[in-house]
Amino acid sequence: QVQLVESGGGLVQAGGSLRLSCAASGRTISRYVMGWSRQAPGKEREFVAAISWNGGVTYYADSVKGRFTISRDNAKNTVYLQMNSLKPEDTAVYYCAARNTIRVDTTTDYDYWGQGTQVTVSS
C-alpha cells in the first residue's frame, strides 16, 4: 500500500509558478512510475505528466509541455511537479499517483492516488 499526500497548491496569478510536492509513504516509490493528473470542475480527469523509476523518461500532456517539469527524489520518496507560466486553464485539482509498472505512458490508470491539491490560476 502506498499513501500519497500532495502539497503546494494554491492561488497564483497567470504567468506565475508553483511547485507541487507529493510525499509517499508505506512503500518506497523507487519501483513505481509516478504521475500527475488533474481534474477541473465539470471535466474528466486528464493526464499531466509521468516519470519513470529513475527519472530518465518523462511524458507530458501537450497542454503543459514546455511549462511543467516532473521530477522525483527517490531518497526522499517524493515526486514534484514544477509548474511555470501558469494559465487560467491550468486551474484544477492536481493528483499525484503511483503505478506498479515499468511502463511510462499517458494513462490515468494508476494503482494509488493522493487526495489532490487545488491549483487556481487567476487572470
Side-chain angles (χ1 to χ4, degrees):
Q1 180 104 303
V2 178
Q3 295 82 46
L4 304 171
V5 179
E6 302 94 336
S7 62
L11 176 64
V12 65
Q13 189 178 35
S17 298
L18 285 173
R19 189 182 73 159
L20 306 183
S21 297
C22 173
S25 61
R27 300 182 67 87
T28 177
I29 62 170
S30 62
R31 293 296 179 267
Y32 287 81
V33 169
M34 302 297 296
W36 290 93
S37 298
R38 67 187 182 186
Q39 188 166 23
K43 298 184 67 177
E44 294 183 348
R45 188 169 299 189
E46 65 173 340
F47 166 81
V48 174
I51 188 167
S52 62
W53 291 356
N54 293 309
V57 178
T58 56
Y59 280 13
Y60 297 94
D62 288 342
S63 59
V64 308
K65 197 172 299 180
R67 300 187 298 120
F68 290 11
T69 303
I70 188 171
S71 61
R72 65 193 295 163
D73 187 339
N74 287 341
K76 295 182 178 180
N77 229 30
T78 302
V79 62
Y80 306 95
L81 185 69
Q82 179 66 46
M83 305 185 295
N84 298 327
S85 301
L86 283 161
K87 304 174 181 179
E89 49 262 48
D90 295 319
T91 295
V93 176
Y94 283 72
Y95 297 91
C96 177
R99 185 169 176 83
N100 183 210
T101 184
I102 196 171
R103 177 181 174 88
V104 185
D105 59 25
T106 60
T107 186
T108 58
D109 183 17
Y110 283 77
D111 297 312
Y112 304 101
W113 293 88
Q115 291 299 119
T117 186
Q118 177 71 48
V119 172
T120 302
V121 184
S122 65
S123 60

mmCIF file of all heavy atoms in Angstrom, residues 56-95:
data_model
loop_
_atom_site.group_PDB
_atom_site.id
_atom_site.type_symbol
_atom_site.label_atom_id
_atom_site.label_comp_id
_atom_site.label_asym_id
_atom_site.label_seq_id
_atom_site.Cartn_x
_atom_site.Cartn_y
_atom_site.Cartn_z
ATOM 1 N N GLY A 56 14.536 8.931 -15.766
ATOM 2 C CA GLY A 56 15.143 9.049 -17.073
ATOM 3 C C GLY A 56 14.172 9.294 -18.208
ATOM 4 O O GLY A 56 14.575 9.780 -19.265
ATOM 5 N N VAL A 57 12.918 8.945 -18.005
ATOM 6 C CA VAL A 57 11.904 9.106 -19.032
ATOM 7 C C VAL A 57 10.751 9.904 -18.447
ATOM 8 O O VAL A 57 10.262 9.590 -17.363
ATOM 9 C CB VAL A 57 11.386 7.750 -19.546
ATOM 10 C CG1 VAL A 57 10.292 7.955 -20.584
ATOM 11 C CG2 VAL A 57 12.529 6.930 -20.124
ATOM 12 N N THR A 58 10.351 10.918 -19.148
ATOM 13 C CA THR A 58 9.198 11.709 -18.742
ATOM 14 C C THR A 58 8.247 11.897 -19.902
ATOM 15 O O THR A 58 8.669 12.029 -21.049
ATOM 16 C CB THR A 58 9.618 13.085 -18.203
ATOM 17 O OG1 THR A 58 10.401 13.765 -19.186
ATOM 18 C CG2 THR A 58 10.427 12.943 -16.923
ATOM 19 N N TYR A 59 6.975 11.900 -19.603
ATOM 20 C CA TYR A 59 5.926 12.195 -20.563
ATOM 21 C C TYR A 59 5.141 13.393 -20.055
ATOM 22 O O TYR A 59 4.943 13.551 -18.846
ATOM 23 C CB TYR A 59 4.960 11.020 -20.716
ATOM 24 C CG TYR A 59 5.401 9.875 -21.589
ATOM 25 C CD1 TYR A 59 6.706 9.740 -22.029
ATOM 26 C CD2 TYR A 59 4.475 8.909 -21.976
ATOM 27 C CE1 TYR A 59 7.092 8.668 -22.817
ATOM 28 C CE2 TYR A 59 4.848 7.833 -22.767
ATOM 29 C CZ TYR A 59 6.156 7.717 -23.185
ATOM 30 O OH TYR A 59 6.534 6.647 -23.968
ATOM 31 N N TYR A 60 4.676 14.201 -20.983
ATOM 32 C CA TYR A 60 3.863 15.350 -20.647
ATOM 33 C C TYR A 60 2.683 15.458 -21.589
ATOM 34 O O TYR A 60 2.781 15.143 -22.775
ATOM 35 C CB TYR A 60 4.665 16.646 -20.743
ATOM 36 C CG TYR A 60 5.811 16.735 -19.774
ATOM 37 C CD1 TYR A 60 7.095 16.360 -20.142
ATOM 38 C CD2 TYR A 60 5.604 17.199 -18.481
ATOM 39 C CE1 TYR A 60 8.144 16.438 -19.246
ATOM 40 C CE2 TYR A 60 6.655 17.278 -17.582
ATOM 41 C CZ TYR A 60 7.920 16.894 -17.970
ATOM 42 O OH TYR A 60 8.966 16.972 -17.083
ATOM 43 N N ALA A 61 1.586 15.918 -21.055
ATOM 44 C CA ALA A 61 0.482 16.301 -21.912
ATOM 45 C C ALA A 61 0.908 17.476 -22.781
ATOM 46 O O ALA A 61 1.682 18.338 -22.353
ATOM 47 C CB ALA A 61 -0.734 16.681 -21.075
ATOM 48 N N ASP A 62 0.397 17.504 -23.998
ATOM 49 C CA ASP A 62 0.746 18.598 -24.895
ATOM 50 C C ASP A 62 0.414 19.963 -24.296
ATOM 51 O O ASP A 62 1.123 20.944 -24.532
ATOM 52 C CB ASP A 62 0.018 18.436 -26.226
ATOM 53 C CG ASP A 62 0.559 17.301 -27.068
ATOM 54 O OD1 ASP A 62 1.689 16.838 -26.812
ATOM 55 O OD2 ASP A 62 -0.158 16.873 -27.993
ATOM 56 N N SER A 63 -0.628 20.012 -23.512
ATOM 57 C CA SER A 63 -1.078 21.277 -22.956
ATOM 58 C C SER A 63 -0.110 21.876 -21.943
ATOM 59 O O SER A 63 -0.164 23.076 -21.669
ATOM 60 C CB SER A 63 -2.454 21.110 -22.310
ATOM 61 O OG SER A 63 -2.414 20.134 -21.283
ATOM 62 N N VAL A 64 0.767 21.053 -21.379
ATOM 63 C CA VAL A 64 1.699 21.542 -20.368
ATOM 64 C C VAL A 64 3.149 21.426 -20.795
ATOM 65 O O VAL A 64 4.037 21.912 -20.078
ATOM 66 C CB VAL A 64 1.499 20.817 -19.023
ATOM 67 C CG1 VAL A 64 0.037 20.879 -18.593
ATOM 68 C CG2 VAL A 64 1.987 19.378 -19.090
ATOM 69 N N LYS A 65 3.399 20.820 -21.914
ATOM 70 C CA LYS A 65 4.764 20.602 -22.376
ATOM 71 C C LYS A 65 5.499 21.927 -22.521
ATOM 72 O O LYS A 65 4.980 22.879 -23.100
ATOM 73 C CB LYS A 65 4.740 19.841 -23.695
ATOM 74 C CG LYS A 65 6.054 19.197 -24.080
ATOM 75 C CD LYS A 65 5.873 18.295 -25.304
ATOM 76 C CE LYS A 65 4.884 17.175 -25.032
ATOM 77 N NZ LYS A 65 4.687 16.289 -26.210
ATOM 78 N N GLY A 66 6.695 21.972 -21.991
ATOM 79 C CA GLY A 66 7.486 23.181 -22.027
ATOM 80 C C GLY A 66 7.256 24.108 -20.861
ATOM 81 O O GLY A 66 8.032 25.047 -20.656
ATOM 82 N N ARG A 67 6.202 23.864 -20.101
ATOM 83 C CA ARG A 67 5.882 24.702 -18.950
ATOM 84 C C ARG A 67 6.014 23.956 -17.625
ATOM 85 O O ARG A 67 6.393 24.540 -16.617
ATOM 86 C CB ARG A 67 4.462 25.255 -19.065
ATOM 87 C CG ARG A 67 4.238 26.111 -20.308
ATOM 88 C CD ARG A 67 2.868 26.778 -20.286
ATOM 89 N NE ARG A 67 1.780 25.798 -20.292
ATOM 90 C CZ ARG A 67 0.868 25.684 -19.331
ATOM 91 N NH1 ARG A 67 0.902 26.482 -18.276
ATOM 92 N NH2 ARG A 67 -0.093 24.776 -19.433
ATOM 93 N N PHE A 68 5.685 22.678 -17.646
ATOM 94 C CA PHE A 68 5.712 21.867 -16.429
ATOM 95 C C PHE A 68 6.891 20.911 -16.477
ATOM 96 O O PHE A 68 7.278 20.423 -17.547
ATOM 97 C CB PHE A 68 4.438 21.049 -16.279
ATOM 98 C CG PHE A 68 3.196 21.831 -15.972
ATOM 99 C CD1 PHE A 68 3.155 23.215 -16.056
ATOM 100 C CD2 PHE A 68 2.041 21.162 -15.598
ATOM 101 C CE1 PHE A 68 2.002 23.925 -15.778
ATOM 102 C CE2 PHE A 68 0.880 21.849 -15.312
ATOM 103 C CZ PHE A 68 0.857 23.235 -15.400
ATOM 104 N N THR A 69 7.434 20.610 -15.317
ATOM 105 C CA THR A 69 8.506 19.639 -15.201
ATOM 106 C C THR A 69 8.215 18.697 -14.049
ATOM 107 O O THR A 69 8.034 19.141 -12.914
ATOM 108 C CB THR A 69 9.860 20.315 -14.966
ATOM 109 O OG1 THR A 69 10.143 21.231 -16.025
ATOM 110 C CG2 THR A 69 10.972 19.268 -14.914
ATOM 111 N N ILE A 70 8.169 17.421 -14.341
ATOM 112 C CA ILE A 70 8.014 16.418 -13.300
ATOM 113 C C ILE A 70 9.394 15.915 -12.906
ATOM 114 O O ILE A 70 10.276 15.753 -13.750
ATOM 115 C CB ILE A 70 7.094 15.266 -13.753
ATOM 116 C CG1 ILE A 70 6.780 14.327 -12.584
ATOM 117 C CG2 ILE A 70 7.683 14.514 -14.932
ATOM 118 C CD1 ILE A 70 5.714 13.288 -12.907
ATOM 119 N N SER A 71 9.583 15.689 -11.632
ATOM 120 C CA SER A 71 10.846 15.160 -11.145
ATOM 121 C C SER A 71 10.573 14.288 -9.928
ATOM 122 O O SER A 71 9.471 14.301 -9.369
ATOM 123 C CB SER A 71 11.832 16.281 -10.803
ATOM 124 O OG SER A 71 11.327 17.113 -9.780
ATOM 125 N N ARG A 72 11.565 13.545 -9.537
ATOM 126 C CA ARG A 72 11.391 12.701 -8.366
ATOM 127 C C ARG A 72 12.691 12.600 -7.600
ATOM 128 O O ARG A 72 13.786 12.696 -8.162
ATOM 129 C CB ARG A 72 10.880 11.308 -8.754
ATOM 130 C CG ARG A 72 11.846 10.487 -9.588
ATOM 131 C CD ARG A 72 11.144 9.271 -10.194
ATOM 132 N NE ARG A 72 10.686 8.336 -9.180
ATOM 133 C CZ ARG A 72 9.788 7.379 -9.382
ATOM 134 N NH1 ARG A 72 9.232 7.240 -10.594
ATOM 135 N NH2 ARG A 72 9.439 6.562 -8.402
ATOM 136 N N ASP A 73 12.560 12.395 -6.321
ATOM 137 C CA ASP A 73 13.687 12.166 -5.433
ATOM 138 C C ASP A 73 13.357 10.900 -4.658
ATOM 139 O O ASP A 73 12.651 10.941 -3.648
ATOM 140 C CB ASP A 73 13.908 13.352 -4.504
ATOM 141 C CG ASP A 73 15.170 13.224 -3.673
ATOM 142 O OD1 ASP A 73 15.675 12.102 -3.497
ATOM 143 O OD2 ASP A 73 15.659 14.262 -3.190
ATOM 144 N N ASN A 74 13.849 9.790 -5.157
ATOM 145 C CA ASN A 74 13.502 8.517 -4.538
ATOM 146 C C ASN A 74 14.043 8.403 -3.114
ATOM 147 O O ASN A 74 13.451 7.716 -2.284
ATOM 148 C CB ASN A 74 14.008 7.363 -5.396
ATOM 149 C CG ASN A 74 13.202 7.189 -6.666
ATOM 150 O OD1 ASN A 74 12.079 7.665 -6.770
ATOM 151 N ND2 ASN A 74 13.776 6.493 -7.642
ATOM 152 N N ALA A 75 15.161 9.054 -2.837
ATOM 153 C CA ALA A 75 15.709 9.030 -1.489
ATOM 154 C C ALA A 75 14.766 9.693 -0.496
ATOM 155 O O ALA A 75 14.735 9.323 0.678
ATOM 156 C CB ALA A 75 17.073 9.707 -1.450
ATOM 157 N N LYS A 76 14.013 10.674 -0.966
ATOM 158 C CA LYS A 76 13.030 11.351 -0.133
ATOM 159 C C LYS A 76 11.627 10.800 -0.317
ATOM 160 O O LYS A 76 10.691 11.276 0.333
ATOM 161 C CB LYS A 76 13.029 12.848 -0.424
ATOM 162 C CG LYS A 76 14.316 13.550 -0.066
ATOM 163 C CD LYS A 76 14.211 15.044 -0.348
ATOM 164 C CE LYS A 76 15.480 15.762 0.065
ATOM 165 N NZ LYS A 76 15.402 17.216 -0.205
ATOM 166 N N ASN A 77 11.495 9.829 -1.210
ATOM 167 C CA ASN A 77 10.195 9.235 -1.502
ATOM 168 C C ASN A 77 9.181 10.306 -1.902
ATOM 169 O O ASN A 77 8.025 10.300 -1.461
ATOM 170 C CB ASN A 77 9.671 8.439 -0.308
ATOM 171 C CG ASN A 77 9.201 7.046 -0.694
ATOM 172 O OD1 ASN A 77 9.718 6.439 -1.641
ATOM 173 N ND2 ASN A 77 8.227 6.525 0.038
ATOM 174 N N THR A 78 9.631 11.196 -2.752
ATOM 175 C CA THR A 78 8.843 12.363 -3.109
ATOM 176 C C THR A 78 8.914 12.618 -4.608
ATOM 177 O O THR A 78 9.961 12.425 -5.229
ATOM 178 C CB THR A 78 9.339 13.610 -2.355
ATOM 179 O OG1 THR A 78 9.263 13.368 -0.942
ATOM 180 C CG2 THR A 78 8.495 14.828 -2.691
ATOM 181 N N VAL A 79 7.818 13.041 -5.164
ATOM 182 C CA VAL A 79 7.752 13.454 -6.555
ATOM 183 C C VAL A 79 7.268 14.892 -6.598
ATOM 184 O O VAL A 79 6.506 15.330 -5.720
ATOM 185 C CB VAL A 79 6.849 12.512 -7.379
ATOM 186 C CG1 VAL A 79 5.419 12.538 -6.869
ATOM 187 C CG2 VAL A 79 6.904 12.852 -8.855
ATOM 188 N N TYR A 80 7.708 15.620 -7.601
ATOM 189 C CA TYR A 80 7.411 17.034 -7.708
ATOM 190 C C TYR A 80 6.818 17.353 -9.070
ATOM 191 O O TYR A 80 7.044 16.659 -10.056
ATOM 192 C CB TYR A 80 8.676 17.874 -7.529
ATOM 193 C CG TYR A 80 9.427 17.589 -6.257
ATOM 194 C CD1 TYR A 80 10.486 16.685 -6.246
ATOM 195 C CD2 TYR A 80 9.087 18.222 -5.067
ATOM 196 C CE1 TYR A 80 11.181 16.416 -5.080
ATOM 197 C CE2 TYR A 80 9.775 17.960 -3.902
ATOM 198 C CZ TYR A 80 10.825 17.053 -3.912
ATOM 199 O OH TYR A 80 11.508 16.796 -2.749
ATOM 200 N N LEU A 81 6.095 18.428 -9.105
ATOM 201 C CA LEU A 81 5.647 18.995 -10.364
ATOM 202 C C LEU A 81 5.902 20.492 -10.322
ATOM 203 O O LEU A 81 5.215 21.220 -9.601
ATOM 204 C CB LEU A 81 4.165 18.718 -10.622
ATOM 205 C CG LEU A 81 3.647 19.177 -11.987
ATOM 206 C CD1 LEU A 81 4.252 18.331 -13.103
ATOM 207 C CD2 LEU A 81 2.122 19.111 -12.041
ATOM 208 N N GLN A 82 6.901 20.921 -11.051
ATOM 209 C CA GLN A 82 7.189 22.337 -11.179
ATOM 210 C C GLN A 82 6.339 22.894 -12.300
ATOM 211 O O GLN A 82 6.415 22.426 -13.433
ATOM 212 C CB GLN A 82 8.668 22.561 -11.480
ATOM 213 C CG GLN A 82 9.052 24.022 -11.664
ATOM 214 C CD GLN A 82 8.915 24.839 -10.405
ATOM 215 O OE1 GLN A 82 9.354 24.410 -9.339
ATOM 216 N NE2 GLN A 82 8.293 26.007 -10.503
ATOM 217 N N MET A 83 5.541 23.889 -11.999
ATOM 218 C CA MET A 83 4.613 24.463 -12.953
ATOM 219 C C MET A 83 4.980 25.924 -13.163
ATOM 220 O O MET A 83 4.903 26.735 -12.234
ATOM 221 C CB MET A 83 3.173 24.339 -12.461
ATOM 222 C CG MET A 83 2.764 22.908 -12.126
ATOM 223 S SD MET A 83 1.012 22.774 -11.684
ATOM 224 C CE MET A 83 1.003 23.745 -10.176
ATOM 225 N N ASN A 84 5.383 26.242 -14.361
ATOM 226 C CA ASN A 84 5.744 27.601 -14.727
ATOM 227 C C ASN A 84 4.781 28.128 -15.781
ATOM 228 O O ASN A 84 4.082 27.369 -16.439
ATOM 229 C CB ASN A 84 7.174 27.654 -15.261
ATOM 230 C CG ASN A 84 8.204 27.233 -14.255
ATOM 231 O OD1 ASN A 84 8.056 27.452 -13.059
ATOM 232 N ND2 ASN A 84 9.287 26.624 -14.741
ATOM 233 N N SER A 85 4.794 29.425 -15.949
ATOM 234 C CA SER A 85 3.952 30.077 -16.956
ATOM 235 C C SER A 85 2.514 29.600 -16.866
ATOM 236 O O SER A 85 1.884 29.249 -17.865
ATOM 237 C CB SER A 85 4.519 29.825 -18.362
ATOM 238 O OG SER A 85 5.840 30.311 -18.476
ATOM 239 N N LEU A 86 1.992 29.602 -15.672
ATOM 240 C CA LEU A 86 0.662 29.061 -15.445
ATOM 241 C C LEU A 86 -0.407 29.881 -16.151
ATOM 242 O O LEU A 86 -0.306 31.104 -16.261
ATOM 243 C CB LEU A 86 0.375 28.987 -13.955
ATOM 244 C CG LEU A 86 1.055 27.812 -13.248
ATOM 245 C CD1 LEU A 86 1.119 28.049 -11.754
ATOM 246 C CD2 LEU A 86 0.315 26.517 -13.560
ATOM 247 N N LYS A 87 -1.412 29.171 -16.610
ATOM 248 C CA LYS A 87 -2.537 29.756 -17.315
ATOM 249 C C LYS A 87 -3.822 29.471 -16.553
ATOM 250 O O LYS A 87 -3.903 28.485 -15.820
ATOM 251 C CB LYS A 87 -2.647 29.156 -18.721
ATOM 252 C CG LYS A 87 -1.399 29.281 -19.569
ATOM 253 C CD LYS A 87 -1.572 28.530 -20.885
ATOM 254 C CE LYS A 87 -0.334 28.615 -21.749
ATOM 255 N NZ LYS A 87 -0.499 27.859 -23.013
ATOM 256 N N PRO A 88 -4.840 30.296 -16.736
ATOM 257 C CA PRO A 88 -6.110 30.015 -16.063
ATOM 258 C C PRO A 88 -6.648 28.619 -16.358
ATOM 259 O O PRO A 88 -7.268 28.008 -15.483
ATOM 260 C CB PRO A 88 -7.040 31.099 -16.611
ATOM 261 C CG PRO A 88 -6.125 32.242 -16.897
ATOM 262 C CD PRO A 88 -4.855 31.607 -17.414
ATOM 263 N N GLU A 89 -6.417 28.117 -17.544
ATOM 264 C CA GLU A 89 -6.893 26.789 -17.888
ATOM 265 C C GLU A 89 -6.153 25.671 -17.165
ATOM 266 O O GLU A 89 -6.543 24.505 -17.267
ATOM 267 C CB GLU A 89 -6.851 26.555 -19.406
ATOM 268 C CG GLU A 89 -5.530 26.921 -20.045
ATOM 269 C CD GLU A 89 -5.549 28.304 -20.673
ATOM 270 O OE1 GLU A 89 -6.002 29.259 -20.009
ATOM 271 O OE2 GLU A 89 -5.114 28.440 -21.834
ATOM 272 N N ASP A 90 -5.093 26.006 -16.442
ATOM 273 C CA ASP A 90 -4.432 25.034 -15.590
ATOM 274 C C ASP A 90 -5.148 24.841 -14.264
ATOM 275 O O ASP A 90 -4.773 23.956 -13.484
ATOM 276 C CB ASP A 90 -2.989 25.451 -15.311
ATOM 277 C CG ASP A 90 -2.130 25.468 -16.558
ATOM 278 O OD1 ASP A 90 -2.257 24.544 -17.387
ATOM 279 O OD2 ASP A 90 -1.315 26.404 -16.701
ATOM 280 N N THR A 91 -6.129 25.663 -13.997
ATOM 281 C CA THR A 91 -6.876 25.560 -12.748
ATOM 282 C C THR A 91 -7.537 24.193 -12.644
ATOM 283 O O THR A 91 -8.293 23.783 -13.524
ATOM 284 C CB THR A 91 -7.930 26.663 -12.661
ATOM 285 O OG1 THR A 91 -7.277 27.937 -12.601
ATOM 286 C CG2 THR A 91 -8.794 26.496 -11.419
ATOM 287 N N ALA A 92 -7.250 23.500 -11.572
ATOM 288 C CA ALA A 92 -7.765 22.150 -11.380
ATOM 289 C C ALA A 92 -7.292 21.640 -10.031
ATOM 290 O O ALA A 92 -6.437 22.242 -9.380
ATOM 291 C CB ALA A 92 -7.277 21.212 -12.492
ATOM 292 N N VAL A 93 -7.847 20.516 -9.640
ATOM 293 C CA VAL A 93 -7.278 19.754 -8.549
ATOM 294 C C VAL A 93 -6.222 18.833 -9.146
ATOM 295 O O VAL A 93 -6.499 18.090 -10.095
ATOM 296 C CB VAL A 93 -8.338 18.926 -7.798
ATOM 297 C CG1 VAL A 93 -7.691 18.075 -6.716
ATOM 298 C CG2 VAL A 93 -9.386 19.850 -7.189
ATOM 299 N N TYR A 94 -5.040 18.890 -8.607
ATOM 300 C CA TYR A 94 -3.930 18.103 -9.102
ATOM 301 C C TYR A 94 -3.704 16.906 -8.198
ATOM 302 O O TYR A 94 -3.594 17.043 -6.977
ATOM 303 C CB TYR A 94 -2.661 18.952 -9.184
ATOM 304 C CG TYR A 94 -2.658 19.864 -10.381
ATOM 305 C CD1 TYR A 94 -3.497 20.973 -10.431
ATOM 306 C CD2 TYR A 94 -1.841 19.603 -11.479
ATOM 307 C CE1 TYR A 94 -3.522 21.799 -11.540
ATOM 308 C CE2 TYR A 94 -1.860 20.428 -12.590
ATOM 309 C CZ TYR A 94 -2.698 21.524 -12.613
ATOM 310 O OH TYR A 94 -2.716 22.347 -13.718
ATOM 311 N N TYR A 95 -3.635 15.743 -8.815
ATOM 312 C CA TYR A 95 -3.500 14.490 -8.101
ATOM 313 C C TYR A 95 -2.171 13.822 -8.424
ATOM 314 O O TYR A 95 -1.798 13.700 -9.593
ATOM 315 C CB TYR A 95 -4.620 13.524 -8.476
ATOM 316 C CG TYR A 95 -5.998 13.990 -8.110
ATOM 317 C CD1 TYR A 95 -6.776 14.720 -9.004
ATOM 318 C CD2 TYR A 95 -6.536 13.700 -6.861
ATOM 319 C CE1 TYR A 95 -8.040 15.148 -8.671
ATOM 320 C CE2 TYR A 95 -7.804 14.121 -6.522
ATOM 321 C CZ TYR A 95 -8.554 14.841 -7.428
ATOM 322 O OH TYR A 95 -9.821 15.258 -7.092
#
